[in-house]
Amino acid sequence: MLSKYHWWRDAVIYQVYVRSFLDSTGDGVGDLAGVRAGLPYLRKLGVDGIWLSPFYPSPQHDHGYDVADYCDVDPLFGDLAEFDLLVAAARRLGIRVLLDIVPNHCSSEHRWFQRALAAGPGSTARARFHFADGRGPDGAAPPNNWHAMFGGPAWSRVTEADGRPGQWYLHMFTPEQPDWNWRDPDVGAEFDRVLRFWLDRGVDGFRIDVAAGLYKHPELPDSRDPEADARTRDSVNPLAWNQPEVHTVWRGWRSVCEEYTARDGRERLLVGEVSVPTAREHALYVRSDELHQAFFFDLLSAPWEADAFRKVVSEAMQDIAGTGSTVTWVLNNHDQVRTVTRYGEPATEGSGLGAARARAAALLMLALPGAAYIYQGEELGLPEVVDLPDDVLTDPIFHRTGSRARVRDGCRVPLPWSGQASPFGFTSGVESAKPWLPQPDYFAEYATDRALADTRSFWHLYRDGLQLRSALPQLGEGALRWLDSPPGVLAFVRGDGLVCAVNFGTAPAPAPVPGSPLLSSGPCPAGELPGSTAAWWMSDGTAPDTH
Ligand code: GLC
């Protein structure tokens, strides 16, 4: 019997960036056995599941988002036997496991792309990708004017078997990530096989990379605003993203999930990385027969201002939750500057403003109706590492923008677990091991052992928030009602009396309800909501039993 309760609608999932979580071999790179060793820590935190960043065989040009084989484990991270152990251990602890699947593009080392290169123009092997002749007298100009997301043109030219410059192929990210042609039926059939391969191994679902991608305009025409495409890392080119045909793919994948659920009663989850211009378009991806969830990035990109947050939340409630779907909130991930740093700007050394705001934002997110994702280290209040030397940066965006954009390495520095010096317990038992990105000395303050021992830490705030979320029926799914509040303060009620209020300003404001809060992101005297602070109250004053 299937239960009516859909666990994923208000789930809290923890994103494990595998190469930076915990290293079991001492080579400086996190791995699957490390994730398994960290499961008790995650269970203590209280998350419902984990999303594992890609661990498949890959030349790692984009840290695994360039997949060479979708049905195996890169030796860097372990092997299939270790993967099975991880899934079994997670199941025992009640932690669901989501894999990261990358259907928009593969690695140029994928066997099908290698075959396409060898097979030549007009072949069925090339039809699985976007190969096209160039423009101009010698075909020396790319087939259209599209820009790649990570800088430079979206096309690269190949050398044909006879040694001459030949056709071009499309890559919306790096040249090492050729885009699949989803109009070729082989591609969909292959991904169907891949989904089943992992579902048969017991996974609970997939995070889908670039889920508004896959299909391109059938004619691959020139973009009318190539400058805008080049300026932003957002998917703005309307010819390359968000094509209507992509919804057919999500309907197909949903029915594969339903098929597995019908067999064993376990609901699988598809969560899409969907970057589209409006909440209304976003809602189309989470219709009841498509994806279960899609990250709603507007919260992540909102500036720290009450009006901006209110607008984002209201739009999501109206346009996404209003259609019966769940909203999936996120404040951090492996592509973005961490909240502590983002909200602290302009940085005032030692002011602690960014940390206070990040704590308040966490309580806000955990009080919103829907699902939420936490990115590893967020529960420790890790700041972005902003001063990594150029020669250790690995992000292809840095290298493809002529070293102008320092974007993603700073949030990917390996986690500190214990001790006073790098590797801070990240590598098991090998104190001399060198993490793949250097950890700053101040990471000692953020180590998990210190966080667990200090009840004022970020970790305890997240843990307490998660405990209350599971204990209080008012949180999770359901409606949200805004309360009148002074400028710079947001306050809302959930269910029959759970009040959440956030003071975005720096001066104290009156609390929206009398009495002491159940949980607050900072010191919170009765009757007052200090600046840069969020708190939860039961408006009738009764504290629930969370134990
Ligand atoms: C997504 C991933 C990002 C990756 C890109 C290309 O945006 O989150 O890390 O580089 O897709 O696969």
Side-chain angles (χ1 to χ4, degrees), residues 422-480:
S422 181
F424 297 114
F426 167 68
T427 55
S428 65
V430 192
E431 286 312 308
S432 58
K434 232 175 123 198
W436 68 277
L437 278 175
Q439 300 161 303
D441 292 344
Y442 64 77
F443 262 34
E445 290 163 41
Y446 297 88
T448 61
D449 61 351
R450 283 176 68 164
L452 265 78
D454 178 0
T455 52
R456 290 159 313 168
S457 68
F458 264 77
W459 194 88
H460 280 274
L461 180 70
Y462 273 84
R463 204 278 314 260
D464 294 352
L466 291 175
Q467 272 194 353
L468 283 170
R469 241 178 105 98
S470 25
L472 293 173
Q474 290 89 344
L475 292 170
E477 277 266 278
L480 168 154

Side-chain angles (χ1 to χ4, degrees), residues 270-315:
L270 298 173
V271 52
E273 183 198 24
V274 172
S275 304
V276 287
T278 62
R280 251 178 232 170
E281 277 168 279
H282 180 103
L284 299 178
Y285 285 78
V286 283
R287 284 177 285 195
S288 61
D289 59 348
E290 296 200 26
L291 305 177
H292 304 78
Q293 302 176 339
F295 300 121
F296 187 60
F297 290 124
D298 294 27
L299 190 69
L300 187 154
S301 42
W304 184 252
E305 289 161 16
D307 292 348
F309 270 62
R310 180 167 176 152
K311 179 167 180 287
V312 162
V313 172
S314 299
E315 273 176 11

